[in-house]
Amino acid sequence: MKWMAAILFLILVSLQYRIWFGGSSFQKIQQQKEKVSIIETENDELLQRNQKLLAEIKGLRIGTDSVEERARYELGMIKEGEVFFRLLEKDTQ
């Protein structure tokens, strides 16, 4: 009977070892969950960026207002017949 108890105890210990330290241990599962969480966060950020880009593309396709706005602010262009005024701040040095 002692041998049977010893064998059952060894089986129990080996199963516990696999649960805590084996290939699919609790620690590794937790690490994988953390990796998944990080990847989901990155995916959410990329999804938001993609949605902004799609909205910008849609705006560029629909009308000339956004193209004109970009030309004015990014390239410093003005319309024909417009007068450009540049206001400079006074140096206080």
Side-chain angles (χ1 to χ4, degrees):
M1 197 65 169
K2 289 182 182 181
W3 289 102
M4 183 66 87
I7 291 173
L8 290 175
F9 179 75
L10 288 175
I11 291 173
L12 178 67
V13 168
S14 69
L15 291 175
Q16 287 294 314
Y17 178 81
R18 290 176 69 191
I19 289 174
W20 294 103
F21 305 107
S24 60
S25 66
F26 289 127
Q27 183 180 14
K28 288 187 181 184
I29 291 171
Q30 185 62 32
Q31 289 173 350
Q32 291 298 324
K33 285 181 181 179
E34 289 172 4
K35 286 180 184 178
V36 167
S37 175
I38 291 169
I39 290 171
E40 285 176 347
T41 303
E42 290 174 0
N43 284 344
D44 290 340
E45 291 171 0
L46 292 173
L47 181 63
Q48 289 175 358
R49 188 192 78 183
N50 287 345
Q51 289 174 346
K52 287 179 186 177
L53 289 173
L54 287 174
E56 189 174 333
I57 289 170
K58 186 178 179 182
L60 289 171
R61 286 184 178 166
I62 289 176
T64 59
D65 292 339
S66 57
V67 174
E68 183 179 327
E69 180 183 348
R70 280 200 132 166
R72 287 178 180 273
Y73 291 107
E74 291 181 10
L75 302 174
M77 300 178 89
I78 58 171
K79 282 184 182 178
E80 188 175 321
E82 284 184 334
V83 179
F84 176 71
F85 292 97
R86 185 176 200 176
L87 302 175
L88 299 174
E89 292 184 23
K90 198 175 197 180
D91 273 345
T92 59
Q93 291 180 353

